[in-house]
Amino acid sequence: MIAHSANGPQPRSAPELLLLHALPLDGSMWAEQMHLLPDATHAPTLYSSGETIDAWARAALEPLKGDNIIVVGCSVGGSCALEVATIAPQRVSALVLIGTKAKHHPDPAFHASALSLIDEEGLEVAWESYWAPLFSRDTSTATVNRAKEMALRSSAAEIARGVAVFHTRPSRDHCLSTCPGPITIVSGADDVASGPRTSASQAASIDGRLHVLPACGHYVPLERAFALNAILAGVIGSLALA
């Protein structure tokens, strides 16, 4: 891969991997992916980074120094990945979007009801209402319980902030066609949130690479870690050869 500057083509820096988490999880959801680029993989937890997806994207970029960033995001993390590509397209060499809807249709009533449930009933009730149903029925109870424990480590205020960021994010569907690097789109076959149909449509619109993983819901990094690692290793390897 070659980056361009006012002084002509310049070699890209060493690759870095930026992993952006889903709601209501945190950066530890990427534990099975941290080895893919040792000492160059970043998996921040974003809830304290601000009130907007732009603020999250800027905070996620801050510790990265190079211009060869592979940005991987799941769900709202995918929306944040698109925002990173919008802010710093010259630094992003590839995007991997997992369970991500680039186009956003605001739903103020759903937004308000989610915040109300978190405030009045607490995170555990919200987990059972909104997020537990996003796992495939084939996913092990141990994996779902691990995710629940991860979610409940955050405060209600942090998750409410994440919900607000998710619901107020702008549409970034135009970024799918303007991002200079390759885009890989991943969906669980059993994902009832974004879903394989939306993922397939997005991939077709940009001639991007699509992976639909069987027996998998919305949280691919937890539900099908081995399969996702193979996909990400392929993205890393293809950039090394470019």
Side-chain angles (χ1 to χ4, degrees), residues 18-21 26-28 30 42-46 49 56 59-61 63:
L18 178 58
L19 306 172
L20 302 171
H21 65 81
D26 59 31
S28 69
W30 301 103
H42 308 263
T45 296
L46 298 167
S49 298
W56 281 22
L61 269 172

Side-chain angles (χ1 to χ4, degrees), residues 59-78:
L61 269 172
E62 189 171 344
L64 285 81
K65 304 303 180 185
D67 64 349
N68 192 8
I69 306 170
I70 302 163
V71 189
V72 183
C74 181
S75 193
V76 71

Side-chain angles (χ1 to χ4, degrees), residues 53-54 58 78-87 95 97 100-105 169-179 183 202:
I53 201 78
D54 176 83
R58 292 182 187 278
S79 299
C80 190
L82 287 166
E83 204 67 21
V84 169
T86 300
I87 292 167
L95 284 178
L97 306 176
T100 299
K101 289 181 180 178
K103 191 170 183 63
H104 176 52
H105 299 284
R169 73 194 193 278
S171 282
R172 291 298 184 205
D173 48 315
H174 66 280
C175 294
L176 294 174
S177 59
T178 59
C179 180
I183 299 177
Q202 292 179 150

Side-chain angles (χ1 to χ4, degrees), residues 212-234:
V212 178
L213 303 181
C216 183
H218 191 58
Y219 297 107
V220 174
L222 298 176
E223 297 180 71
R224 293 293 305 277
F226 184 80
L228 178 60
N229 289 354
I231 293 167
L232 296 180

Side-chain angles (χ1 to χ4, degrees), residues 35-48:
H35 68 282
L36 293 171
L37 276 179
D39 303 319
T41 298
H42 308 263
T45 296
L46 298 167
Y47 300 118
S48 64

Side-chain angles (χ1 to χ4, degrees), residues 179-221:
C179 180
I183 299 177
T184 301
I185 294 178
V186 182
S187 175
D190 301 333
D191 187 355
V192 296
S194 54
R197 181 175 297 180
T198 295
S199 294
S201 175
Q202 292 179 150
S205 72
I206 56 168
D207 195 25
R209 182 164 294 181
L210 173 68
H211 299 269
V212 178
L213 303 181
C216 183
H218 191 58
Y219 297 107
V220 174

